[in-house]
C-alpha cells in the first residue's frame, strides 16, 4: 500500500513567520493569506497529498470576541489552502476541540458542541473542503458530537485523530482502544493519533488502535516534546522519520507530523517505504470512553438499574435522585459487572428525559459500557446519542415492526443489539422454534449491515415453578444459536427461580448450566455473592481465568470475615463518665451497631423516647466534641450517618404502628451559579438529613432564578447557599436579593471558604454557617 | 503522599490523628496517586513591567514578589478528571470516605507543586540564581481572572486537559496554577510563608489554624 503523506505543523510555521504570542492562528492566517499559502505550498512540494486548512480553532467560542465570524475565517483559509494545493493535494477542513469541557465536568452540552461543529463544517463544505478531520481531540463525547454533526449535515469524508498520553488514554480519560472501537462502529473513514508525544512513544497506542478497527489509521505525532525553557522540540527531521519508520510495516499508511514538524519532516516521511497490508480483522468488544470490555469469555450484565419491583429505586427516579442511581452503578461495578443495563420504564415519568439523566449520571461515575433497555425507538435513539462508547440496545424481537424501527438505530450508532427469540405470537415453546426466530433476527440484521457477532440472542428464561420443561429447551436453544447462528447469547437468569424456595441456589445452578450451554452474557444481579461465585467458578473451570488468579483472589480469604469497609475513622477516645451505648456506637461511627441497639430498645420503649433519650443526646455529644476539636470532619460525618441508621429504625417502628413519620423542613440547598464546588454543600446536606431534616438539594452552579423558583414552589423556610470562590460571591448576593424580592418568609444561611460572618451579613444573609455542624445548629434555631 | 498533610486539610492537627486514620489516609493516597497522577507543565518567560511576556499579573503583591525577578516560571498542575471522578465515587458510596479522598487529593497536588518548586530551586541555585516564593492567582490581590491568560500561555487545554470556566475556576477541580520569580539575589519579600504572609492569604479570616494559633505551613 502506498503511503498517504499528510502535512506538518501549522501553528509552529505561523510563529516562525511572524505571528505573535496570543494571536489566533486562524485569524492571523486569514489576514496573511500569502504566508498561509506559502506554508501549504511548501508542504505540498515536500510530498503532502492531504493538507489541513488553517481552521483548527475557527469555532464560535474562540472567535467570540473577534470581528470575524467562523464562516468568514473558514471560507478564506480553505480557499487559500485550495489555491496552494493546486490540485496536487486534497484539502481537509481542520477541526480542533471547541475549547470548553463537556458536561458534567464542564459547561458545554452535547447539543452546543453539535451546533458549533455543524456550523463550522457546513461552512467548510461550502468553501470546497474535500474532507474534514477532527484532530487533537481529548474527549470522546466531544468527538461523537462532531462526527454526528459532520454526518448529519455534510457529505464530507470524516477523519478523527485524538491526542493520547503515554498511558494510552487522553487527558479526558478516553482510552485509545475505546476510541477506535467507538469511531470504527460509528462509521468514520479514518482514525488515529496526533500531537502530544513523539512517534516512538505512540507505538503501543497505535497497536491498541489497530486491534479494534480495520479502517485506515493516521499517525501524526509531534517532533518529540518541547523543552520548557527554550521551547525547542526534541527531534530533527531525520530522527523523526526514523522513528516513524515503524508504522508502515504495521499497516499504517497515513503519515504526517504535528507540533514542531515542518516541510523537511514531511519530505523525510515521503521517502519511507510503502505500508504492509493488514489482515482486516477487528476485535469484538463493547466500551465506554474509558474502558474496553473484550467479548469472548463470560461478561456479566448487571440488571439492578431497573425500577421493576424496587420501591426505593422508583422513588429515586420520580424525585430525580441521580446520586442514588449512580451509587447503584458503582455498587454493581465493584461487585464485578462488566456491562450495566439501564431501564427507567416507570408509569408517569418522562422516559426519554429520565433515561438521558440516568445515562449521564451513570457515565459520570463508572467506566462500564451500557445496555440501553427500552421499547421506545425514540428513547433508544436519544440514549444512544448520549452514551459515549459502544452500547448494546435491549431489545428487538422477531416482530417485523420492531426490527424495522430499531435495527437502523443500532447500525447508525454502531451499537450491538439484544434479539429476543420471540415474536408477535409470543414465546415459542421449543428450542427449535426459538432458534428459527433467532435466525430471522440475524437475517434481518444482516440486511442493515449488522453482522451476527453484533447480536446477543436471548433464548428467554421461563419460570421453572410453572413451566418446568422449558428450562432445558432454553439451554438447548442457547447451544444452537451460539453454534449455528454465531451470535452471542444473553439470558436474564433470575426469572428461573421465581416462586421457589431458596431461590439463589436454583438460580446459580441454572446459571452454571447455561454458561456451559454457551451463554456468554448473562444478565443478573451481581450484588448476590453466590451468583457471582458461580461466574468465577465457571471462568476458572472453562480456562478463561488463566492461572486461576481471579478465582484465588476472590476466595482466598472467604473463611475469615472481610474487614469492615466503612470509613470508621477511629473510635473517639472515651473519656469522662461512661457513655450511653447508643452514643458510644454513634461516636464510633458504627451504623450497624447503632441500628441494632435502637431496635432492641424499641422492643421495650416508645419510639420518641428512644429518640429523645438516646439518639438526640448522642448527636449532641458528637456536636460538642466536634466544636471542642476532639472530633474531626470525617468522624462527624460517620457519626451522624450512624445516628441516621438509628433514626431510620425509629421511623420504621412508627410506620409499623400506623403513625406518620415527620421530617422537619424542607431545607433547600444549592451551590450558587458559576461555582462548581459542591463538597461542602454535600456534607451540609448529609449532616442536616442525619439530624432529621428533609433536604432538597438543587445541585451546583444553580442560577438565582432557579433557586427563587424552588423556594416559592416548596414554601421552604430555610435556604442554604454555598460559594467557594471570591468570584462567585456576587452570584450568592444576587441570589439572596432575588429570594428576598420574590419569596416571603424564607431565611437564608450561607457558607463557603471565602465567606465570613461579616461578609455574610453584608450580602444580606440571615446566618453564616462556618461548617456543617453550624448549619445544623442554625436549622435547629430556624425550624426547631 | 504525606498522610499528615491530608489530615491537615481535614483541619485535623497532627497530634490528634490516630494510627488508624493515618493508615487509611496513606492507603487512599497510594491508590489515588496511581489513578490520578499529577501532570504538570511549565515555561520560563522573560519578566516584563506588567508581569511576564504574554501575561499581565496585576496587583501590588505580585509586583512586590517579582520586583527583582528577571524571569518568571509559570506552571500549572492538575490531577485531571480521574481525580474528580474518584472523589465523586467516594462521596456517593460513603461521605466520610469522600471528604478523606478530597483531602488526599489536595495533599497530592500540593506535594507535586512542592516537589516541582524544590527541583527548580535546586536547579537555579546551581546556576547562582534564586527563586521567589510560589504565588497563585487568588492569593493576596492577584485576581483569579489571571487564570485564563495563564492557562492560555501554557496551552493547558492541549497540554494538560485543563480549562478555565466563566467564573475563573479551573476545570478539572483538583488543579493549581502558580508563578515563581527567578532572581539574581535572594528575595527580600517573603509572600506566603512568614506570619505576615498570612494576612495576604484569601483564607485569612476563616483560617482554622490561625484560630488555633498555628499556621498551615507548620
Amino acid at each position: 500500500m502506498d503511503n498517504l503523506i499528510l502535512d506538518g505543523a501549522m501553528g509552529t510555521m505561523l510563529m516562525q513567520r511572524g505571528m505573535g504570542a496570543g494571536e489566533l492562528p486562524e485569524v492571523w492566517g486569514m489576514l496573511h493569506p500569502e504566508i498561509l499559502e506559502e506554508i501549504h505550498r511548501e508542504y505540498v512540494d515536500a510530498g503532502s497529498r492531504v493538507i489541513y486548512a488553517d481552521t483548527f480553532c475557527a469555532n464560535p467560542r474562540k472567535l467570540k470576541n473577534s470581528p470575524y465570524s467562523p464562516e468568514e475565517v473558514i471560507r478564506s483559509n480553505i480557499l487559500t489552502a485550495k489555491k496552494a494545493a493546486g490540485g496536487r493535494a486534497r484539502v481537509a477542513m481542520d477541526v480542533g476541540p471547541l475549547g470548553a469541557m463537556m458536561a458534567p465536568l464542564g459547561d458545554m452540552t452535547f447539543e452546543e458542541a453539535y451546533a458549533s461543529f455543524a456550523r463550522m463544517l457546513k461552512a467548510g463544505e461550502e468553501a470546497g473542503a474535500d474532507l474534514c478531520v477532527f484532530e487533537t481531540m481529548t474527549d470522546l463525547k466531544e468527538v461523537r458530537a462532531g462526527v454526528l454533526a459532520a454526518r448529519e449535515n455534510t457529505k464530507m469524508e470524516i477523519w478523527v485523530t485524538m491526542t493520547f498520553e503515554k498511558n494510552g488514554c487522553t487527558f479526558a480519560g478516553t482510552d485509545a482502544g475505546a476510541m477506535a472501537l467507538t469511531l470504527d462502529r460509528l462509521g468514520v473513514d479514518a482514525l488515529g493519533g496526533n500531537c502530544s508525544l513523539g512517534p516512538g512513544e505512540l507505538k503501543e497506542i497505535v497497536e491498541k488502535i489497530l486491534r479494534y478497527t480495520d479502517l485506515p489509521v493516521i499517525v501524526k505525532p509531534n517532533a518529540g516534546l518541547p523543552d520548557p525553557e527554550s521551547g525547542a522540540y526534541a527531534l530533527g527531521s531525520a530522527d523523526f522519520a526514523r522513528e516513524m519508520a515503524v508504522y508502515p510495516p504495521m499497516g499504517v499508511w497515513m503519515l504526517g507530523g504535528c507540533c514542531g514538524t515542518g516541510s523537511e519532516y514531511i519530505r523525510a516521511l515521503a521517502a519511507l517505504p510503502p505500508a504492509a497490508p493488514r489482515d482486516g480483522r477487528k476485535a469484538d468488544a463493547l466500551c465506554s470512553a474509558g474502558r474496553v470490555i473484550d467479548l469472548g469469555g463470560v461478561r456479566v450484565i448487571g440488571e439492578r438499574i431497573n425500577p421493576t419491583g424496587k420501591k426505593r429505586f422508583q422513588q429515586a427516579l420520580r424525585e430525580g435522585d441521580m446520586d442514588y442511581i449512580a451509587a447503584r452503578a458503582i455498587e454493581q461495578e465493584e461487585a464485578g459487572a462488566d456491562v450495566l443495563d439501564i431501564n427507567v420504564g416507570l408509569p408517569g415519568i418522562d422516559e426519554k428525559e429520565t433515561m438521558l439523566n440516568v445515562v449521564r449520571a451513570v457515565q459520570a461515575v463508572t467506566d462500564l459500557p451500557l445496555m440501553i433497555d427500552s421499547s421506545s425507538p425514540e428513547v433508544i435513539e436519544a440514549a444512544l446519542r448520549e452514551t459515549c462508547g459502544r452500547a448494546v440496545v435491549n431489545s428487538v424481537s422477531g416482530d417485523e415492526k420492531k426490527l424495522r424501527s430499531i435495527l437502523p438505530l443500532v447500525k447508525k450508532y454502531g451499537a450491538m443489539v439484544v434479539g429476543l427469540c420471540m415474536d408477535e405470537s409470543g414465546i415459542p415453546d421449543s428450542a427449535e422454534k426459538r432458534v428459527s426466530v433467532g435466525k430471522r433476527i440475524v437475517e434481518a440484521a444482516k440486511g442493515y449491515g449488522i453482522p451476527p457477532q453484533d447480536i446477543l440472542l436471548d433464548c428467554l428464561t421461563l419460570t421453572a415453578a410453572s413451566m418446568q420443561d422449558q428450562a432445558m429447551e432454553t439451554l438447548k436453544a442457547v447451544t444452537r444459536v451460539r453454534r449455528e447462528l454465531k451470535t452471542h447469547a444473553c439470558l436474564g437468569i433470575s426469572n428461573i427461580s421465581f416462586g421457589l424456595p431458596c431461590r439463589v441456589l436454583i438460580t446459580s445452578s441454572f446459571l452454571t448450566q447455561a454458561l456451559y450451554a454457551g451463554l456468554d452474557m448473562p444478565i443478573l444481579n451481581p450484588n448476590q455473592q453466590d451468583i457471582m461465585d458461580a461466574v468465577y467458578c465457571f471462568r476458572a473451570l472453562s480456562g478463561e481465568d488463566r492461572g486461576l488468579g481471579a478465582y484465588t483472589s476472590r476466595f482466598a480469604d472467604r473463611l475469615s470475615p472481610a474487614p469492615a469497609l466503612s470509613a470508621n475513622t477511629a473510635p473517639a477516645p472515651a473519656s469522662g463518665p461512661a457513655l450511653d451505648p447508643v452514643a458510644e456506637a454513634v461516636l464510633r461511627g458504627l451504623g450497624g451497631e447503632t441500628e441494632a441497639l435502637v431496635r432492641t430498645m424499641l422492643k421495650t420503649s416508645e419510639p420518641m423516647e428512644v429518640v429523645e433519650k438516646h439518639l438526640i443526646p448522642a448527636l449532641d455529644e458528637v456536636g460538642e466534641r466536634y466544636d471542642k476539636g476532639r472530633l474531626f470532619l470525617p468522624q462527624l460525618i460517620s457519626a451522624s450517618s450512624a445516628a441516621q441508621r438509628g433514626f431510620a429504625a425509629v421511623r420504621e417502628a412508627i410506620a409499623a404502628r400506623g403513625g406518620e413519620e415527620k421530617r422537619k423542613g424542607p431545607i433547600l440547598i444549592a451551590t450558587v451559579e458559576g461555582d462548581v464546588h459542591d463538597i461542602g454543600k454535600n456534607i451540609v446536606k448529609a449532616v442536616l438529613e442525619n439530624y432529621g431534616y428533609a433536604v432538597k438539594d438543587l445541585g451546583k452552579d444553580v442560577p438565582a432564578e432557579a433557586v427563587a423558583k424552588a423556594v416559592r414552589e416548596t414554601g421552604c423556610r430555610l435556604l442554604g447557599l454555598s460559594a467557594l470562590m471570591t468570584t462567585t460571591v456576587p452570584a450568592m448576593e444576587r441570589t439572596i436579593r432575588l429570594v428576598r424580592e420574590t419569596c416571603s418568609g424564607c431565611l437564608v444561611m450561607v457558607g463557603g471558604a471565602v465567606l465570613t460572618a461579616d461578609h455574610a451579613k453584608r450580602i444580606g444573609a440571615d446566618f453564616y454557617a462556618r461548617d456543617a455542624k453550624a448549619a445544623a445548629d442554625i436549622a435547629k434555631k430556624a425550624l426547631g | 503522599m504525606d498522610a499528615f498533610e491530608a489530615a491537615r486539610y481535614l483541619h485535623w492537627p497532627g497530634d490528634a490523628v490516630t494510627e488508624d486514620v493515618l493508615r487509611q489516609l496513606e492507603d487512599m493516597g497510594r491508590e489515588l496517586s496511581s489513578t490520578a497522577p499529577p501532570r504538570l507543565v511549565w515555561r520560563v518567560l522573560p519578566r516584563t513591567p506588567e508581569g511576564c511576556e504574554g501575561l499581565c499579573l496585576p496587583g501590588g503583591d505580585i509586583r512586590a514578589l517579582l520586583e527583582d525577578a528577571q524571569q518568571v516560571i509559570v506552571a500549572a498542575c492538575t490531577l485531571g478528571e480521574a481525580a474528580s471522578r474518584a472523589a465523586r465515587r467516594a462521596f456517593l458510596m460513603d461521605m466520610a470516605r469522600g471528604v478523606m479522598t478530597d483531602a488526599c487529593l489536595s495533599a497530592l497536588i500540593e506535594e507535586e507543586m512542592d516537589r516541582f518548586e524544590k527541583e527548580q530551586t535546586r536547579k537555579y541555585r546551581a546556576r547562582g540564581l534564586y527563586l521567589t516564593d510560589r504565588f497563585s492567582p487568588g492569593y493576596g490581590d492577584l485576581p483569579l481572572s489571571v487564570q485564563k491568560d495563564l492557562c492560555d500561555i501554557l496551552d493547558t487545554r492541549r497540554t494538560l486537559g485543563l480549562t478555565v470556566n466563566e467564573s475563573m475556576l479551573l476545570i478539572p477541580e483538583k488543579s493549581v496554577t502558580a508563578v515563581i520569580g527567578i532572581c539574581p539575589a535572594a528575595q527580600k519579600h517573603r509572600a506566603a510563608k512568614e506570619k505576615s504572609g498570612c494576612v495576604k492569604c484569601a483564607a485569612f479570616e476563616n483560617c482554622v489554624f490561625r484560630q488555633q494559633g498555628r499556621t498551615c505551613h507548620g
Side-chain angles (χ1 to χ4, degrees), chain A residues 576-598:
Chain A
L579 282 167
D580 176 77
V582 173
E584 186 79 42
V586 166
L587 276 166
R588 285 166 169 266
L590 302 173
E593 202 171 315
T594 306
E595 185 182 330
L597 284 165
V598 167

Short mmCIF file of all heavy atoms in Angstrom, two decimals, chain A residues 576-598:
data_model
loop_
_atom_site.label_atom_id
_atom_site.label_comp_id
_atom_site.label_asym_id
_atom_site.label_seq_id
_atom_site.Cartn_x
_atom_site.Cartn_y
_atom_site.Cartn_z
N GLY A 576 -14.12 10.67 80.59
CA GLY A 576 -15.18 11.12 81.49
C GLY A 576 -16.10 9.97 81.81
O GLY A 576 -15.75 8.80 81.64
N PRO A 577 -17.32 10.29 82.23
CA PRO A 577 -18.26 9.27 82.66
C PRO A 577 -18.63 8.36 81.50
O PRO A 577 -18.59 8.76 80.34
CB PRO A 577 -19.48 10.08 83.11
CG PRO A 577 -19.35 11.42 82.46
CD PRO A 577 -17.89 11.65 82.29
N ALA A 578 -18.98 7.10 81.82
CA ALA A 578 -19.32 6.14 80.79
C ALA A 578 -20.50 6.65 79.97
O ALA A 578 -21.43 7.25 80.51
CB ALA A 578 -19.68 4.80 81.44
N LEU A 579 -20.43 6.42 78.64
CA LEU A 579 -21.46 6.94 77.77
C LEU A 579 -22.60 5.96 77.61
O LEU A 579 -22.44 4.76 77.78
CB LEU A 579 -20.86 7.20 76.39
CG LEU A 579 -20.04 8.46 76.24
CD1 LEU A 579 -19.26 8.40 74.93
CD2 LEU A 579 -20.93 9.69 76.28
N ASP A 580 -23.73 6.49 77.21
CA ASP A 580 -24.85 5.69 76.77
C ASP A 580 -24.36 4.81 75.62
O ASP A 580 -23.61 5.28 74.77
CB ASP A 580 -25.94 6.67 76.29
CG ASP A 580 -27.13 5.95 75.71
OD1 ASP A 580 -27.92 5.44 76.50
OD2 ASP A 580 -27.25 5.90 74.47
N PRO A 581 -24.77 3.53 75.56
CA PRO A 581 -24.24 2.67 74.50
C PRO A 581 -24.57 3.19 73.09
O PRO A 581 -23.77 3.03 72.18
CB PRO A 581 -24.92 1.32 74.75
CG PRO A 581 -25.92 1.53 75.82
CD PRO A 581 -25.61 2.81 76.51
N VAL A 582 -25.74 3.81 72.94
CA VAL A 582 -26.07 4.36 71.61
C VAL A 582 -25.07 5.47 71.27
O VAL A 582 -24.53 5.53 70.16
CB VAL A 582 -27.52 4.89 71.58
CG1 VAL A 582 -27.78 5.62 70.26
CG2 VAL A 582 -28.50 3.75 71.74
N ALA A 583 -24.82 6.34 72.21
CA ALA A 583 -23.88 7.44 71.98
C ALA A 583 -22.51 6.88 71.64
O ALA A 583 -21.83 7.37 70.73
CB ALA A 583 -23.81 8.34 73.21
N GLU A 584 -22.12 5.84 72.36
CA GLU A 584 -20.82 5.21 72.12
C GLU A 584 -20.74 4.70 70.67
O GLU A 584 -19.76 4.95 69.96
CB GLU A 584 -20.66 4.04 73.10
CG GLU A 584 -19.31 3.36 73.07
CD GLU A 584 -18.25 4.15 73.84
OE1 GLU A 584 -18.55 4.65 74.94
OE2 GLU A 584 -17.12 4.27 73.31
N ALA A 585 -21.80 4.00 70.24
CA ALA A 585 -21.81 3.46 68.88
C ALA A 585 -21.82 4.57 67.84
O ALA A 585 -21.12 4.51 66.84
CB ALA A 585 -23.02 2.54 68.69
N VAL A 586 -22.62 5.61 68.11
CA VAL A 586 -22.70 6.73 67.17
C VAL A 586 -21.34 7.40 67.07
O VAL A 586 -20.83 7.67 65.98
CB VAL A 586 -23.78 7.75 67.62
CG1 VAL A 586 -23.64 9.06 66.87
CG2 VAL A 586 -25.17 7.15 67.37
N LEU A 587 -20.72 7.65 68.21
CA LEU A 587 -19.42 8.33 68.21
C LEU A 587 -18.37 7.54 67.46
O LEU A 587 -17.47 8.11 66.85
CB LEU A 587 -18.95 8.56 69.65
CG LEU A 587 -19.52 9.81 70.30
CD1 LEU A 587 -19.28 9.77 71.80
CD2 LEU A 587 -18.92 11.06 69.70
N ARG A 588 -18.51 6.23 67.51
CA ARG A 588 -17.53 5.41 66.79
C ARG A 588 -17.90 5.27 65.31
O ARG A 588 -17.20 4.60 64.56
CB ARG A 588 -17.47 4.02 67.41
CG ARG A 588 -16.72 3.99 68.72
CD ARG A 588 -16.99 2.67 69.43
NE ARG A 588 -16.10 2.49 70.56
CZ ARG A 588 -14.95 1.84 70.51
NH1 ARG A 588 -14.56 1.31 69.37
NH2 ARG A 588 -14.19 1.73 71.56
N GLY A 589 -19.03 5.83 64.92
CA GLY A 589 -19.44 5.74 63.53
C GLY A 589 -19.91 4.36 63.13
O GLY A 589 -19.83 3.98 61.98
N LEU A 590 -20.39 3.59 64.12
CA LEU A 590 -20.82 2.22 63.84
C LEU A 590 -22.32 2.16 63.57
O LEU A 590 -23.14 2.04 64.49
CB LEU A 590 -20.46 1.30 65.00
CG LEU A 590 -18.96 1.27 65.34
CD1 LEU A 590 -18.71 0.47 66.61
CD2 LEU A 590 -18.16 0.70 64.18
N GLY A 591 -22.68 2.28 62.29
CA GLY A 591 -24.09 2.33 61.90
C GLY A 591 -24.85 1.07 62.27
O GLY A 591 -25.94 1.13 62.82
N GLY A 592 -24.26 -0.08 61.96
CA GLY A 592 -24.94 -1.36 62.20
C GLY A 592 -25.22 -1.54 63.68
O GLY A 592 -26.31 -1.95 64.08
N GLU A 593 -24.22 -1.22 64.49
CA GLU A 593 -24.36 -1.40 65.93
C GLU A 593 -25.42 -0.44 66.49
O GLU A 593 -26.24 -0.82 67.33
CB GLU A 593 -23.01 -1.14 66.60
CG GLU A 593 -22.90 -1.77 67.97
CD GLU A 593 -21.48 -1.69 68.49
OE1 GLU A 593 -20.55 -1.99 67.71
OE2 GLU A 593 -21.31 -1.31 69.67
N THR A 594 -25.39 0.80 65.99
CA THR A 594 -26.38 1.78 66.43
C THR A 594 -27.79 1.27 66.13
O THR A 594 -28.67 1.29 66.98
CB THR A 594 -26.16 3.12 65.70
OG1 THR A 594 -24.81 3.53 65.89
CG2 THR A 594 -27.10 4.19 66.23
N GLU A 595 -27.94 0.80 64.90
CA GLU A 595 -29.25 0.33 64.49
C GLU A 595 -29.71 -0.84 65.36
O GLU A 595 -30.85 -0.87 65.83
CB GLU A 595 -29.19 -0.09 63.01
CG GLU A 595 -30.55 -0.46 62.46
CD GLU A 595 -30.48 -0.92 61.00
OE1 GLU A 595 -29.58 -0.44 60.26
OE2 GLU A 595 -31.31 -1.76 60.62
N ALA A 596 -28.80 -1.77 65.61
CA ALA A 596 -29.15 -2.94 66.42
C ALA A 596 -29.57 -2.52 67.82
O ALA A 596 -30.57 -3.01 68.37
CB ALA A 596 -27.97 -3.90 66.46
N LEU A 597 -28.81 -1.60 68.41
CA LEU A 597 -29.14 -1.12 69.76
C LEU A 597 -30.52 -0.46 69.78
O LEU A 597 -31.33 -0.71 70.67
CB LEU A 597 -28.08 -0.12 70.24
CG LEU A 597 -26.74 -0.71 70.68
CD1 LEU A 597 -25.68 0.38 70.77
CD2 LEU A 597 -26.92 -1.40 72.05
N VAL A 598 -30.75 0.37 68.78
CA VAL A 598 -32.03 1.08 68.74
C VAL A 598 -33.18 0.07 68.58
O VAL A 598 -34.21 0.18 69.25
CB VAL A 598 -32.03 2.13 67.59
CG1 VAL A 598 -33.44 2.64 67.32
CG2 VAL A 598 -31.11 3.29 67.94
#
